[in-house]
Amino acid sequence: MKIGDSLPAFDGPGVTWLNDGAGAAPAPDAVTLVHFFSVSCELCKTQLPQIVEWRDRTHAGRLRVIGVHMPRYPEDVDLPRVKSVVAEHGLTHPVAVDDEHTITDRFANEFVPAYYTFDREGKLAHKKAGETALKFVQQAIERLGASAVGIMPELG
């Protein structure tokens, strides 16, 4: 995906929704953060609490969060394991289990963790992957106006 591309669809073969997949429908007037993770990625798991904090500390649904579980290995398609990680980390937002990489391919995503931030018009405004991604994602969310003044703590 390139900056300015539209938010792709989240349906298709091999996609199973955890929580309410209806939350992945277009949402006007909300900044959308799509995060890719895998149950076999320890770095992903260490970053999930920050995603939950952003989701829960943003006023009136101004930040919509959608998770995409992207399996990296055959054992990653174990749905009970994915459900366990989702529950353990408090991911109550929509999470697509993308066993056939349908969504992953639409994003042309190759990495976990990976973050795609879309503006209120549903256009890609920022993308980042890897260990240092969260600091840049936070800046993008703030720049797009999804945060309330003073509620998002600085990342170290």
Side-chain angles (χ1 to χ4, degrees):
M1 291 197 75
K2 299 182 307 260
I3 301 300
D5 285 351
S6 294
L7 182 67
F10 287 92
D11 60 351
V15 176
T16 302
W17 283 99
L18 304 180
N19 308 322
D20 185 6
D29 296 329
V31 172
T32 300
L33 174 63
V34 179
H35 68 98
F36 285 81
F37 70 100
S38 180
V39 295
S40 62
C41 171
E42 290 306 314
L43 178 58
C44 296
K45 292 177 194 174
T46 64
Q47 291 185 358
L48 290 175
Q50 184 64 57
I51 303 306
V52 170
E53 184 174 335
W54 288 340
R55 181 199 67 211
D56 292 346
R57 293 182 61 135
T58 302
H59 286 268
R62 290 169 39 195
L63 177 66
R64 176 175 70 142
V65 177
I66 302 169
V68 179
H69 177 263
M70 178 183 130
R72 299 185 309 159
Y73 305 109
E75 57 270 18
D76 288 349
V77 297
D78 178 2
L79 188 57
R81 182 176 176 207
V82 176
K83 286 180 177 180
S84 176
V85 169
V86 166
E88 176 185 341
H89 291 280
L91 304 185
T92 58
H93 53 270
V95 174
V97 179
D98 191 22
D99 285 348
E100 295 182 27
H101 286 200
T102 303
I103 299 167
T104 301
D105 291 345
R106 286 187 189 133
F107 277 77
N109 183 55
E110 299 178 22
F111 307 103
V112 290
Y115 304 92
Y116 295 79
T117 310
F118 292 83
D119 65 18
R120 291 187 165 110
E121 286 76 43
K123 302 294 183 190
L124 182 62
H126 181 266
K127 62 182 179 176
K128 193 74 173 165
E131 188 173 355
T132 62
L134 290 183
K135 181 176 182 179
F136 297 101
V137 173
Q138 178 175 327
Q139 292 169 356
I141 291 168
E142 291 173 350
R143 186 179 71 250
L144 293 168
S147 66
V149 176
I151 66 163
M152 294 183 77
E154 286 298 315
L155 292 172

